[in-house]
Amino acid sequence: LEPPAAPSVVEEDPNIADVAEPEPELPKTMNEPEFLALLDTIPDMKAKLHADYNVLSGRFNSFRSTGEQLSKLLGNLDRLRLKQKSLHNLRRVEDQLAAVMSEIDTRKRQVKKMRKNGVLPDPALCVFNQIDTN
């Protein structure tokens, strides 16, 4: 049961047109038989999926969750920062340093975007990356 609607306290402005925005159309979802029928029309993709699927675990070998992706990205960012530091210390070629700094900027933007979307890093991978770096 819904509670009765509260009376409107705000007066309507006659200068503002009451324009209803159209509802965006939701993408059509696909059930399993439809997916399998479509998959049969893409033999290369079907072969790659079968090759990557692990029957014992019931998962794809190359699949990474968004948390795992973020953890991997953070580990790569730390590795690039160490490389940047070593290039500064050794005063190596400026081109290498510029390339590393460009890659760091790109990865920082990716991390910021993922965190903005609410993705949390996988703790196990973060710890592994820290141990692996040290």
Side-chain angles (χ1 to χ4, degrees):
L1 295 173
E2 293 184 25
S8 176
V9 178
V10 180
E11 291 183 26
E12 290 187 27
D13 187 352
N15 297 325
I16 299 175
D18 187 21
V19 179
E21 292 185 21
E23 290 286 325
E25 245 185 77
L26 295 176
K28 181 182 180 287
T29 56
M30 194 182 295
N31 60 27
E32 185 178 350
E34 290 173 332
F35 174 77
L36 293 174
L38 183 61
L39 189 59
D40 286 334
T41 64
I42 314 169
D44 290 341
M45 183 175 172
K46 187 174 184 176
K48 287 181 181 181
L49 287 174
H50 281 291
D52 192 45
Y53 187 70
N54 184 343
V55 179
L56 296 175
S57 68
R59 295 184 62 188
F60 289 101
N61 295 321
S62 61
F63 174 77
R64 282 193 190 127
S65 69
T66 52
E68 291 170 336
Q69 290 173 25
L70 180 57
S71 298
K72 176 89 168 126
L73 188 60
L74 291 170
N76 288 337
L77 192 55
D78 288 341
R79 180 185 50 79
L80 286 168
R81 286 181 180 142
L82 285 174
K83 188 173 183 178
Q84 177 189 17
K85 196 177 204 179
S86 70
L87 289 174
H88 272 300
N89 292 341
L90 297 176
R91 303 206 184 277
R92 292 212 178 158
V93 182
E94 292 297 317
D95 293 340
Q96 287 181 339
L97 184 59
V100 168
M101 291 181 74
S102 171
E103 186 70 22
I104 286 174
D105 289 339
T106 302
R107 304 239 178 182
K108 279 183 179 179
R109 284 193 302 271
Q110 289 174 325
V111 166
K112 190 180 235 181
K113 183 178 178 182
M114 291 180 86
R115 285 193 170 161
K116 183 180 175 184
N117 289 330
V119 177
L120 298 174
D122 182 276
L125 280 177
C126 286
V127 170
F128 176 79
N129 285 332
Q130 289 173 351
I131 291 170
D132 192 40
T133 302
N134 296 334

